[in-house]
């Protein structure tokens, strides 16, 4: 991983999870060693903290054993001791016998026992106390997963100076299931102790916010939960939204590129008897992973001779997991029975169609397996994300291989080019397996390219930056607010953005788009976020609008675009623009902050061709001769045209006549003419804000668009908006926009509201 800048603003990072990234293993001869802990949590989180450095509080995996803090690389590990009883009641009991099945669609029946719950509370308190003792002043504490849902509130009580984040690696259940839990209110209150709560998928976050509103005195404003002040605590906000986790894709690709890994992949195929097709499954041996369904489909295909048993191998790697929990023991027995039966019935002396491996492997061996596999089967009945799917894609630089992926895994949101399946539908599974084994190389390539883009665009660095970035900006806003004695953190209830400026109709629709995982916020400049002034070079963005746009641009999943009729040079004169913004000038003829290759209406470089330049020179000379000496008329040369301004012509009627004459000339010359308020633009190249807005949105991940503008030229942009987008017209006049606000100050209020809905951060009025 490269370039993990300091994401915690110089503060100490404390990771908190049930398991430390390493387990202590005691061999038969009594010697001890450390090995990487199982599961996706550690795979994802470890590469980040190796870069950032951290304190990690967690359990070392052994019972009744006191272990002193120790260091590995840049991590200081702080082991929390669990007794035999703790393991039985808190870990195997409430965590894995109650919460795990409840949160995974009750695939196995959850059990509710009061003594399990009591121990869960006790152990959560132990973790919170340990973090409270360990963390430096003002540190960032990041708590992970379902085993520790009470820790955020417990920790806040002990250490209000900390910034607290919580990420749930598994699904959050729908309300109908969550309500079964006798301790539902305590869990929600525990989680609401955090400043940021992250989920894997959009429906998880929605479900949490709905349940939190029902069971606590909180109100959801978009992604933000607003907690009222109580006699003991000030009001505050909590950001609860999706942050889909990922992997260190570059690290997997690096291992895949090594000649020795590729050699090992060839050896694996040879050891399997060089069959035509190698299928692979890699899972913890967990009933959520759909292993039974997968084996059933495979068995039926063999039984019906739809695949040739002598020419195919399914390698099922199933790592041992939670073996003291009944449901896991049962699953293991069942799977092992099926393996024996299937090979007994379908195999031959020299060949077993199913290879079952019940053990852990090194990263190198896993990658070699991914390279050896023609098809990867990921068929969970429910899974928070499933990192195995992303690992396979990251390793396949050859752009070959087929991923069969359950639509009930979080990864299906991003890996849309996989063969998506419903694992409950055995016929559907069989059809997908067959299709995978026969997929032409070209189709494999096309699908793999799409999936690889998705995995590289959202790797674990991106995930960690988004999550820690949200935590940091919340704590900074809180510090400023406390220093000023305003907004969040003050003693009264949380003050919300003044409502007066945001009409209800706009507010309701803003709320709808605010929670989209990907959002484009595009706005015109003059008359929209900058009040009209007599001299164009004096126009300035309203400070509140600028602040809001900057915060939106920094928020995960949001892009900000400025679409102006001004030339980019003219816009620069006003000091406008910011890092990370897309800026389009001259009505779409110019574009920066964006990969312009292939952009319609520009030649990519934003430069006119020689022919266009000559034509433009001729036209400019003509305008200068005819209009240049008229008092109050200003001619503005743009990269692709000339604008005639009459705002300063003393007699408005005379100004209109001059513009009419200019238009007559422009039309006769075949120029593209654009009308604005007391300005006409003549361009040698066809482009408009609608075209450029379309171009920008097509290049970004799908999601709604907010566009705000005041002028006639902004109508082209309103015209391309769809039913899920929001167009806001500023001021009077006919429009295709569905919302309207009176002036730029109201636009600033709308943008500030959007910031609040998206991030929970309140921006005061100017
Ligand atoms: P979960 O977190 O539920 O276990 P994921 O698919 O998200 O599921 O993550 C599993 C992680 O464990 C992946 O990084 C995968 O490579 C790793 N893994 C799974 N089985 C094995 C195994 N037998 N040996 C080594 N690593 C494994
Ligand atoms: C999943 C969970 C993790 C857990 C891991 C291994 O990834 O989300 O919290 O650590 O499985 O399970 P185990 O019970 O062995 O820690």
């Amino acid at each position: 991983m490269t370039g993990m800048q300091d994401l915690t603003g110089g503060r100490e990072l404390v990771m908190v999870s049930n398991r430390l990234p390493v387990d202590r293993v005691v061999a038969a001869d009594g010697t001890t060693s450390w090995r990487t802990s199982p599961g996706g949590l550690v795979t994802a989180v470890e590469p980040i903290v190796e870069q950032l450095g951290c304190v990690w509080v967690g359990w070392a995996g052994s019972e009744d054993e006191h272990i002193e803090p120790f260091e590995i690389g840049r991590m200081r590990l702080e082991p929390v001791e669990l007794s035999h009883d703790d393991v039985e009641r808190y870990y195997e009991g409430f965590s894995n016998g109650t919460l795990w099945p409840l949160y995974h669609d009750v695939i196995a029946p959850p059990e509710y026992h009061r003594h399990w719950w009591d121990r869960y509370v006790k152990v959560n308190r132990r973790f919170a106390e340990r973090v409270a003792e360990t963390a430096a002043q003002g540190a960032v504490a990041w708590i992970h997963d379902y085993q520790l849902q009470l820790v955020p509130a417990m920790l806040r009580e002990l250490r209000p100076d900390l910034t607290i984040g919580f990420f749930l690696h598994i699904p959050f259940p729908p309300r109908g299931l969550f309500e079964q839990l006798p301790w539902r209110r305590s869990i929600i209150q525990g989680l609401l102790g955090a400043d940021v709560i992250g989920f894997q998928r959009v429906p998880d976050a929605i479900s949490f916010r709905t349940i939190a509103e029902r069971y606590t005195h909180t109100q959801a404003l978009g992604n933000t939960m607003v907690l009222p002040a109580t006699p003991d605590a000030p009001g505050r906000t909590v950001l609860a939204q999706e942050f889909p986790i990922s992997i260190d894709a570059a690290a997997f690709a690096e291992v895949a590129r090594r000649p020795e890994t590729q050699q090992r992949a060839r050896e694996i195929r040879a050891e399997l008897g060089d069959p035509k097709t190698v299928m692979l499954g890699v899972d913890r041996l967990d009933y959520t992973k759909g292993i039974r369904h997968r084996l059933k489909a495979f068995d039926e295909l063999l039984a019906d001779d739809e695949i040739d048993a002598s020419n195919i191998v399914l390698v099922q790697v199933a790592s041992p997991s939670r073996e003291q929990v009944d449901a896991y023991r049962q699953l293991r027995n069942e799977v092992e029975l099926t393996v024996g039966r299937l090979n007994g019935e379908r195999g031959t002396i020299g060949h077993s169609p199913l290879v079952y491996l019940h053990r852990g492997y090194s990263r190198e061996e896993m990658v070699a397996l991914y390279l050896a596999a023609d098809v990867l089967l990921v068929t969970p009945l429910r899974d928070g994300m499933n990192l195995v799917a992303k690992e396979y894609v990251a390793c396949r630089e050859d752009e070959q291989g087929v991923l069969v992926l359950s639509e009930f895994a979080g990864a299906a949101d991003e890996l849309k080019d996989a063969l998506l399946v419903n694992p409950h539908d055995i016929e559907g599974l069989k059809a997908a397996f067959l299709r995978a084994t026969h997929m032409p190389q070209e189709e494999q390539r096309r699908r793999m390219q799409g999936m690889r883009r998705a995995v590289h665009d959202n790797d674990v660095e991106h995930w960690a930056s988004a999550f820690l970035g949200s935590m940091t900006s919340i704590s900074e806003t809180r510090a400023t607010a406390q220093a000023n004695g305003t907004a969040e953190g003050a003693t009264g209830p949380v003050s919300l953005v003044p409502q007066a400026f945001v009409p209800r109709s706009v507010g309701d629709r803003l709320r709808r788009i605010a929670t989209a995982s990907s959002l484009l916020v595009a706005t015109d400049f003059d008359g929209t976020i900058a009040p009209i002034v007599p001299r164009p070079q004096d126009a300035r963005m309203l400070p509140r609008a600028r602040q809001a746009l900057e915060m939106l641009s920094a928020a995960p999943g949001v892009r900000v675009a400025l679409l102006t009729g001004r030339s980019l040079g003219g816009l620069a004169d006003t000091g406008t623009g910011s890092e990370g913004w897309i800026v389009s000038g001259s009505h779409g003829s110019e574009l920066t902050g964006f990969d312009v290759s292939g952009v319609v209406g520009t030649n990519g470089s934003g430069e006119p061709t020689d022919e266009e330049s000559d034509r433009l020179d001729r036209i400019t000379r003509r305008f200068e001769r005819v209009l240049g000496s008229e008092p109050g008329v200003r001619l503005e040369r743009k990269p692709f045209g000339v604008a005639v301004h009459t705002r300063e012509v003393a007699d408005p009627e005379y100004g209109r006549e001059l513009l009419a004459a200019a238009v007559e000339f422009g039309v006769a010359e075949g120029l593209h003419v654009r009308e604005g308020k007391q300005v006409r633009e003549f361009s040698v190249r066809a482009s408009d804000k609608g075209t450029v807005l379309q171009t920008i949105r097509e290049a970004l991940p799908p999601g709604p668009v907010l566009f705000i503008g005041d002028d006639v030229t902004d109508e082209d942009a309103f015209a391309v908006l769809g039913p899920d987008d929001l167009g806001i017209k500023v001021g009077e006049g006919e429009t295709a926009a569905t919302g309207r606000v009176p002036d730029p100050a109201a636009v600033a209020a709308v943008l500030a509201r959007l910031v609040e809905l998206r991030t929970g951060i309140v921006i005061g009025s100017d």
Side-chain angles (χ1 to χ4, degrees), residues 18-19 38-41 91 96 100 145-147 169-170 284 321-322:
N18 174 57
R19 268 186 198 278
L41 188 161
Y91 170 69
N96 290 313
W100 181 270
D145 234 355
Y146 60 103
Q147 304 94 338
H169 291 252
I170 67 174
R284 269 183 313 100
S321 189
R322 306 175 192 163

Side-chain angles (χ1 to χ4, degrees), residues 36-44 100 104 145 169-170 200 245 247 252 281-286 288-289 317-322 357-363 366-367 369-370 378 382-391:
T36 304
S37 304
L41 188 161
V42 167
T43 304
W100 181 270
H104 285 91
D145 234 355
H169 291 252
I170 67 174
Q200 298 280 28
I245 203 170
I247 55 162
F252 276 92
V282 175
D283 314 80
R284 269 183 313 100
L285 190 42
D286 193 300
T288 58
K289 301 289 183 182
V317 178
S319 37
S321 189
R322 306 175 192 163
L357 304 163
H358 184 245
R359 48 166 293 197
Y361 290 95
S362 65
R363 164 78 59 94
M366 295 299 291
V367 173
L369 271 165
Y370 291 142
V378 179
R382 181 58 74 193
D383 206 336
M385 175 55 63
N386 197 287
L387 296 183
V388 167
K390 291 190 171 181
E391 289 169 5

Side-chain angles (χ1 to χ4, degrees), residues 545-555 560 577-578 581:
R546 172 188 283 280
Q547 193 190 356
L549 288 173
E550 272 169 5
M551 293 177 84
L552 285 167
S553 170
V560 166
S578 204
W581 293 13

Side-chain angles (χ1 to χ4, degrees), residues 13 55 66 83 88 137 145 189 267 381 431 463 518 526 546 615 618 635 722:
L13 175 62
V55 176
H66 177 78
S83 67
E88 222 172 67
Q137 181 69 23
D145 234 355
Q189 280 165 344
E267 282 167 18
L381 308 177
W463 171 76
S518 176
D526 292 286
R546 172 188 283 280
R615 198 162 161 230
R618 199 165 45 75
L635 297 176

